[in-house]
Structure formats: C-alpha cells, structure tokens
Amino acid sequence: MSLEARVHVERGDFVLDVALTVGNGEVVAVLGPNGAGKTTLLRTIAGLLPLTSGQVVLGGTTLDDPAGGVRCGPNERGIGVVFQDYRLFPHLSAADNVAFGPRSAGVPRAAARRQAQDWLARVGLAGLGDRKPAELSGGQAQRVALARALILTPALLLLDEPLAALDASTRAEVRGELRRLLDDFRGPAVFVTHDALDAMTLATRVVILEAGRVVQQGAPHEIAQRPATSYVAQLVGLSLLRGVADAGVLLLADGTRVTTADTALNGAALAVVRPSSVVVATEAPSHSSVRNSWQRAVSGLQPLGDRVRVSFAGPPAVVADITNAAVAEMRLGVGDVVWVSVKATDITTYPDTSGPTIGAQM
Amino acid sequence: MTTSATPPARRRPLRLSTLLGVPAAIAVAFLLLPLAGLLYRAPWGGLWPLLTDPSVREALRLSLFSSLLATAVSVVFGVPLAWVLARLRFPGRRVLRALVLLPLVLPPVVGGVGLLYALGNSGLLGHALNAVGVSLPFTTAGVVVAETFVAMPFLVVTVEGALAAADQRYDEAAATLGASGWTTFRRITLPLIAPSVAAGAVLTFARALGEFGATITFAGNTAGQTRTMPLAVYIALESNPPAAVALSLVLLVVSVGILLALRERWLRGGTIR
C-alpha cells in the first residue's frame, strides 16, 4: 500500500497543484500557512472534494481519475480521516462512535462493540466507552476520533491539524500518544499542520505547502537546517537571506553584500542566520573579527520571555535576540540607530534549489 | 458641535417602555379575552355528562384518529420531501418549495375545493380512484386527506429548516467511515434532527386537529364519519351551546398540552429552530 497522488484543484482564483507520494509506514507532514491549501489537499484525497485533474492511486487502485472517468466516493476508499474538529457523532457514545465503521461494514452489533472496546483500550480510554462526546475532554475526543478511524485498518490515514484544537498543556501529552499510534500504523499517513513542532516531532518527511504548491520537502532536520522560504525559516526560528553567492560573498537582491564563510559556493544561494547570533551595538565595531556590520534603525522590540527580539528598518532581513538586560543597559528604543553585526561563521549558506519563481508571498 | 450648553428644560418624553407597553397590554388582553369567555361560559357542573355524550365522544375519537393518521402520513412523506428541498440542488427548487408550502397560506376552503376537483369522483384522478374502488369525498379517509393537505407543510417547513441548519460535517465523517448514504441518513442525519421531526409532528397534529375549512368542503359533515371536533363545535353552537363550550374546552386543553410539549422550543424565547 502506498499513496500516489497528483492533485490539481481549481476553486475560483485558488489553484492547488501538488504531487505527493507516501510509502508504507511513512508519516508525511504537510506544513504550510493558513490558506495554503493543506485541508483542500486532504479533503481531495479523502474524496470529499472533486479533483479538477490529476489522479489519486492508493495501493495500486485508482480512486480518482477525472480524465479516466473514475471517481470513488469517500465511503468506498478505505481511507481513515481524523478531522480537525474530530466530528464525533454527538448522539452516540464513544464506543458507538468507534463501532460505527464496523457496523456500517456489516459487523454484528456485539462483535463491533467488542472491537470498539478493544480500540478504546488501545488509545488509553478503557472504561470511557459509555461517555457521550460532550462529556470527553479535547484530548480524549481526539483519541476517540483516532480509534474510530484506525478500527477499520484504513489503507491510508489522513489527519487534519490533529493537535490544533488542544490547549498547550494537553498538547504535549497527546503528541506523544499520537506518535506511538502513528508508529504502530503500517500504512501511509499524512497529516496537515501549521505547527513546526508537530511536523518535526511526528513526521518522517515534511512537505512545505505555500499558495497551493510544494515549495520544499525533506526530512524534518533538513527542513529545519536549510529552509527554502522565509515562511519555513520563520517557523524554525531563523532569518533567511536569498541572493547570489560568489567567492564567499552573498549578494542580496537589494544590493546588500553579506560575507559568508563558505567560499566554494557559487550561484543562487540561501543563507540562514540564528537571531541569537546577531550582535547589536551602539557603536561601530572596531578591531573586531565581525565580517558583517550594518548601521540600521531599530524598528521593533518584541518581548519573548527571557529575551527581546529586535527588528531593524531596511535590509538585510535579520532579527536579533538579545537579553532584557542588554536592552536596558543600551536603553534601546524604536528609532534608535545601532550597529547590527553578524560573524561570517554564524551564517549558514546552501544552494537555492527552489528556483527563482517561488516566493514566500501568499 | 458643542455639548457645553445645557438644553432648555423640556416636557419629559414618554418612556419607550410606556409607549410600547400600552399597545402590548391591549394585545395581551385581546388574545386572552376569548379564553376568559370560554372559561366564563363553561357549564362546569354539567361538564361530564356533556363530554360523555356519545356524539361528543364520537367526534373526539374521529378527530384524534384522523389527526394522528394525517400526522403519520405527513412524517412518512414530509421528511423525505424536506430532505429533497434542503439537500438536493436542482433547477426549480425554490419554485417547488414555494408551491409545496402554499397550503400554509392558502385559505383551507380553497384547499378543500381543490381537493374536490382533484380527488373527487369527477375530479382529475377521480375516475382512476373509482376504478380501484376508492372514493374519498365524504369519507373518513377524505378527512385524513384534507387534514394532511393542510398540515403537512408544517412538518416540511420544520424539518427542512433543521436539515438546512444540521451539520453536514457529520455526514462527511460517516462517509469516511464507509457508511452508505442511506446508513448515514438513518444513523446520523435522522437522529440529529429527531427533535425537529418531533416538533414538526406536534405542530402538524395541532393543525390537523383544528382543521375545519378543507375538511367540511372535501369531506362534508357526517356524524360519526367526517364530523371532527371543530365541525362538531360549529354544529353544536346552533343547537346546544353548552356542548359547544365543552367541546371547545377539550380542544383548549389539547392546545395547552401541545404548547407545553413545545415549550423547550418556543417558551424559551427566540425563534423556531
């Protein structure tokens, strides 16, 4: 069983065009900003939305092929879906929710109930089968939704923002639980999220979707280290610079020259800078090893708990994370002109393979 | 614009609550007055003999029987119609909806005349019905037909509203769990709108119970066959006014019961769900 999907959907001005292949045991996170088309992608694969063109093939069976006149309904696909809002049937108990799939498939009542109890136990909800969805916490409801989908041993598991509806305290716990269930699941799994941490911790592969297109995909650590768009860079807490590398200098589109340590890299390149490595000074650095310094006005000060994120007017688009004490000592305020410095060795450069047409703008 | 100068003292304007409260009180009095009239003229002492009179019992039995049957027919055919109107998209849907709901505003007498020329012995389908040995006018079956015609739209409107508002996200979830359309309708959609079906049925029953115009036009006024409670009240008012009041009290009690049954939906304020 593996999923091979070429999804092309046009809805008004919005175009979603994604090719996605997911193998057995793979867990793919589709990560992207709101409106990128993540949920549309999932709903199309599930058969809840029609394809404009393309194909959805699961385990060698064509489920959707508008050109070939094939269209399986969502109830004929054998695809498990966990919705963002879970959609537990409010009039049925947790056990009856889980038993709904087997019952619809013709399993006798008693047997379906037994299976449901087994699954509730597997997701850690033994004894809660008689509760109505309204009597479950968010985390419990999510596990019922998972059990309800997994009981049918689906050929593919789709999860829409599986953790988005949970509060921060239960989120970490449910993430661990979800990870365990996904590890046990043998088929391909795809989940969409706008949370980088969910993507990095749960997925074996991350696909970045922006404005209906895949802009980058790879293993979580690759994405985290070498983001291809400023959206991804921002998600993983980095500043992204895009330019042309030539013998240790990255020339940005705005004309700024950034000295980097990698002298071997040439051509279209990206560079990331960790905000905590950016130095802010009130005077020009002299007799220093710092290779990059710009005089810039402070355009924003954003408290981040133990640190303050300082942003600057004008290129390059770097931000600096400095301590509260440093802000106080320098009496830093918006509009103050300061020296912004980055050591060449603190800049990580890599080739820009995303092509010049892909922007981070929505 | 300055606000420093205090405006000259004026006659205190009537408060809005007074302005609207007076006509509201008149409206309340007007609506409750007939009830007071009924209770005032009620032959309290001789009520029991009046109500146990065979003709009264017959009318009551006939009314309950025909209204319940009309309600059942309305549910069996009205729920599917409501589903078609709420869930299917087809050209002419809005026109169909308007036509189907026409009996809500149509004078019942007109409905009765229409039924006569559609299902009557010389009507549109009269010959066909006669051919299979069915003659509806001036029979108890005709009463049920007249009541269904007038009352079914109440069920359709209520259930259609519920279906339109019902969350189709659950239908989607059921589909991804392998449920067919019929299974989804039976196990998800219908249970979720069950309260509205019940409320629609109660409304339909109430309307059928009070039906007069279409019934007397299409089914006539034969004691024991087509003389339902409202017809009996009307007849009794000429010949035996205390009996008319007694019958009216029965209908009043039923109406109050219906109001109580619907209290969750109506008496909490707000709109019909």
Side-chain angles (χ1 to χ4, degrees):
Chain A
M1 286 287 167
S2 70
L3 170 72
E4 284 157 58
R6 262 240 335 109
V7 173
H8 185 90
V9 177
E10 291 177 24
R11 306 179 85 191
D13 283 346
F14 179 75
V15 177
L16 174 72
D17 194 275
V18 172
L20 188 65
T21 303
V22 188
N24 266 341
E26 239 193 322
V27 179
V28 168
V30 178
L31 180 64
N34 287 332
K38 306 187 296 287
T39 299
T40 301
L41 174 65
L42 223 58
R43 291 176 59 80
T44 307
I45 296 172
L48 297 169
L49 281 177
L51 273 178
T52 307
S53 66
Q55 268 188 335
V56 176
V57 180
L58 181 59
T61 309
T62 302
L63 300 178
D64 228 333
D65 180 10
V70 179
R71 171 150 170 74
C72 285
N75 56 337
E76 305 163 319
R77 298 196 170 202
I79 295 178
V81 182
V82 176
F83 295 92
Q84 180 176 1
D85 46 3
Y86 313 140
R87 305 193 185 180
L88 299 182
F89 306 126
H91 60 295
L92 297 181
S93 68
D96 285 340
N97 263 282
V98 179
F100 183 86
R103 290 286 290 134
S104 297
V107 175
R109 187 186 303 270
R113 243 195 121 69
R114 262 198 312 279
Q115 285 181 32
Q117 299 292 1
D118 286 351
W119 266 101
L120 283 173
R122 278 180 77 167
V123 298
L125 294 178
L128 297 187
D130 290 334
R131 296 233 186 137
K132 285 284 172 64
E135 299 162 346
L136 297 170
S137 72
Q140 289 169 340
Q142 202 246 21
R143 283 185 272 177
V144 173
L146 267 166
R148 185 175 72 171
L150 289 172
I151 194 172
L152 293 167
T153 50
L156 166 69
L157 184 63
L158 302 175
L159 305 101
D160 189 3
E161 301 273 5
L163 301 167
L166 302 172
D167 55 61
S169 56
T170 49
R171 209 173 161 132
E173 183 199 330
V174 176
R175 189 186 288 126
E177 180 80 12
L178 184 60
R179 162 128 218 187
R180 192 175 61 74
L181 287 166
L182 287 175
D183 283 348
D184 288 348
F185 182 66
R186 292 172 192 283
V190 179
F191 73 94
V192 308
T193 180
H194 62 264
D195 186 293
L197 189 57
D198 291 347
M200 300 300 163
T201 52
L202 293 171
T204 55
R205 181 154 54 98
V206 178
V207 172
I208 309 286
L209 192 63
E210 286 182 37
R213 277 163 205 285
V214 174
V215 294
Q216 189 178 10
Q217 59 177 308
H221 67 271
E222 286 169 25
I223 304 277
Q225 284 164 10
R226 300 187 158 198
T229 69
S230 23
Y231 163 75
V232 191
Q234 206 182 340
L235 274 184
V236 298
L238 298 172
S239 300
L240 184 76
L241 306 175
R242 186 186 300 275
V244 179
D246 182 18
V249 172
L250 186 68
L251 180 62
L252 307 188
D254 55 59
T256 312
R257 294 168 69 84
V258 180
T259 306
T260 65
D262 185 352
T263 52
L265 185 66
N266 283 306
L270 296 169
V272 282
V273 179
R274 194 161 294 284
S276 56
S277 66
V278 176
V279 174
V280 179
T282 46
E283 285 171 26
S286 53
H287 316 298
S288 160
S289 66
V290 167
R291 309 291 293 150
N292 297 295
S293 283
W294 306 279
Q295 204 173 12
R296 295 283 182 266
V298 172
S299 64
L301 294 164
Q302 183 195 358
L304 296 174
D306 59 340
R307 294 159 300 143
V308 176
R309 175 153 294 184
V310 190
S311 48
F312 309 98
V318 295
V319 294
D321 283 357
I322 60 179
T323 60
N324 293 311
V327 174
E329 209 163 284
M330 290 191 291
R331 301 161 67 94
L332 213 54
V334 171
D336 291 357
V337 175
V338 293
W339 285 89
V340 185
S341 310
V342 187
K343 288 173 57 148
T345 49
D346 281 336
I347 300 174
T348 310
T349 47
Y350 45 94
D352 181 0
T353 52
S354 58
T357 54
I358 291 171
Q361 302 299 316
M362 281 298 304
Chain B
M1 235 175 81
T2 62
T3 51
S4 55
T6 18
R10 265 197 244 157
R11 202 158 51 88
R12 245 183 101 205
L14 271 174
R15 288 179 55 195
L16 186 63
S17 53
T18 314
L19 210 60
L20 298 181
V22 170
I26 294 172
V28 167
F30 173 72
L31 290 174
L32 292 183
L33 215 53
L35 297 185
L38 262 181
L39 295 176
Y40 169 68
R41 284 302 299 272
W44 295 110
L47 206 54
W48 189 247
L50 280 172
L51 290 179
T52 47
D53 182 81
S55 67
V56 169
R57 278 181 23 212
E58 199 140 62
L60 187 57
R61 189 193 56 78
L62 182 64
S63 262
L64 289 177
F65 172 75
S66 57
S67 301
L68 284 174
L69 207 57
T71 305
V73 172
S74 297
V75 169
V76 168
F77 292 96
V79 170
L81 174 56
W83 185 87
V84 166
L85 291 176
R87 291 287 165 89
L88 296 189
R89 292 288 169 270
F90 53 92
R93 185 179 63 94
R94 288 150 93 81
V95 177
L96 179 69
R97 186 175 185 276
L99 287 175
V100 158
L101 301 184
L102 188 62
L104 280 180
V105 289
L106 190 74
V109 176
V110 177
V113 173
L115 285 171
L116 214 47
Y117 287 114
L119 305 176
N121 292 332
S122 58
L124 226 48
L125 300 178
H127 288 297
L129 287 172
N130 286 342
V132 293
V134 175
S135 176
L136 290 174
F138 312 111
T139 64
T140 305
V143 174
V144 175
V145 167
E147 290 180 349
T148 306
F149 176 80
V150 172
M152 182 150 68
F154 282 84
L155 186 107
V156 175
V157 157
T158 312
V159 176
E160 192 213 345
L163 278 169
D167 225 323
Q168 291 192 50
R169 296 174 311 147
Y170 296 119
D171 296 17
E172 283 188 354
T176 65
L177 294 168
S180 65
W182 171 243
T183 304
T184 303
F185 178 75
R186 194 170 50 84
R187 293 205 51 209
I188 304 301
T189 314
L190 213 46
L192 286 177
I193 61 157
S196 295
V197 175
V202 171
L203 276 177
T204 303
F205 176 75
R207 181 66 189 87
L209 195 66
E211 218 306 296
F212 181 88
T215 308
I216 202 165
T217 312
F218 182 57
N221 184 12
T222 317
Q225 283 218 11
T226 68
R227 185 177 296 165
T228 55
M229 291 281 278
L231 272 59
V233 171
Y234 185 72
I235 297 298
L237 206 52
E238 309 244 307
S239 56
N240 184 5
V245 175
L247 284 166
S248 300
L249 281 176
V250 173
L251 288 176
L252 176 63
V253 167
V254 173
S255 305
V256 170
I258 286 167
L259 208 55
L260 286 177
L262 293 175
R263 69 191 183 283
E264 285 295 312
R265 300 166 71 85
W266 284 10
L267 299 190
R268 286 257 176 92
T271 51
I272 301 176
R273 268 175 290 156

